[in-house]
Amino acid sequence: MVTLEVERVDARFSRIAATQEGNMKIWNFVMALTVPLFASASHAGESAPAIAGFLNPQTGAFTPRLALTPAAAPVAAAATLTVTFTVKINSSIPRAQPITCALNISSYDASFANYATADSYVVKSSASAGTCTVSIPYIWQIATTATTMNLHPGVSTTFAAGGLYRSSSASVAPFPVPTTGTKKIAVTLAL
């Protein structure tokens, strides 16, 4: 009978030991899941170091953004730039060939990088000249009213059967960014 009692005690102890071992495994599993959650919650406001920029999803090319410093008192510029092109057209360009006027404007300072572009077709007024007008409305932030705008007008023929491809561009001297209203500029280019 003593032997039997020992076997019963041993069997109970084995069951208790197995239950404790099972509980310990469950406890370890629960801790393995929750510890990373608590650790990530303590760093919730922090983010991994990153480089600001633009990723082209088609090519996979990454272009870093300019490192800019915040302006103390930024200036809002909400205006329109209107450029009237006079295009002198070479006689070798067929009269029916389309001609495009394009305009790029930009403004860069220590705090902001602004850019806009637009284009329009030339309306030929004669065989040797044509005009077009391109307007670009913009809403930009600039560091100061002394920030300048860069203006790059250009004209080109479009590829057409039997036509010629020609292009011409210019740079206009930088001028202070207009902050309100409409600034009008006239440009003459030759094809």
Side-chain angles (χ1 to χ4, degrees):
M1 198 151 316
V2 172
T3 310
L4 206 70
E5 286 283 324
V6 171
E7 284 180 13
R8 279 190 197 158
V9 171
D10 283 346
R12 277 192 215 156
F13 181 73
S14 296
R15 241 182 301 157
I16 291 169
T19 304
Q20 285 179 344
E21 186 178 321
N23 286 345
M24 191 58 117
K25 286 181 181 177
I26 292 171
W27 177 253
N28 288 341
F29 179 73
V30 169
M31 290 305 291
L33 292 176
T34 57
V35 167
L37 292 175
F38 291 120
S40 65
S42 68
H43 298 292
E46 299 175 18
S47 62
I51 299 173
F54 307 96
L55 176 65
N56 182 334
Q58 294 173 337
T59 64
F62 180 78
T63 306
R65 189 177 68 194
L66 298 172
L68 303 173
T69 56
V75 176
T80 301
L81 182 69
T82 300
V83 176
T84 301
F85 291 77
T86 299
V87 183
K88 295 181 180 180
I89 303 169
N90 188 300
S91 62
S92 64
I93 297 173
R95 184 148 169 79
Q97 188 167 4
I99 298 172
T100 303
C101 296
L103 180 62
N104 298 313
I105 60 173
S106 61
S107 174
Y108 302 98
D109 55 36
S111 300
F112 300 100
N114 299 292
Y115 183 83
T117 187
D119 60 11
S120 173
Y121 285 102
V122 169
V123 177
K124 294 181 184 177
S125 58
S126 71
S128 62
T131 60
C132 67
T133 301
V134 179
S135 292
I136 300 180
Y138 58 90
I139 300 173
W140 289 351
Q141 290 287 316
I142 54 178
T144 70
T145 55
T147 300
T148 59
M149 177 182 282
N150 302 302
L151 172 68
H152 300 284
V155 294
S156 64
T157 58
T158 57
F159 288 104
L164 299 171
Y165 177 76
R166 296 213 177 160
S167 67
S168 178
S169 62
S171 288
V172 174
F175 51 90
V177 175
T179 55
T180 60
T182 300
K183 180 168 179 78
K184 295 181 179 184
I185 296 176
V187 174
T188 301
L189 295 170
L191 283 176

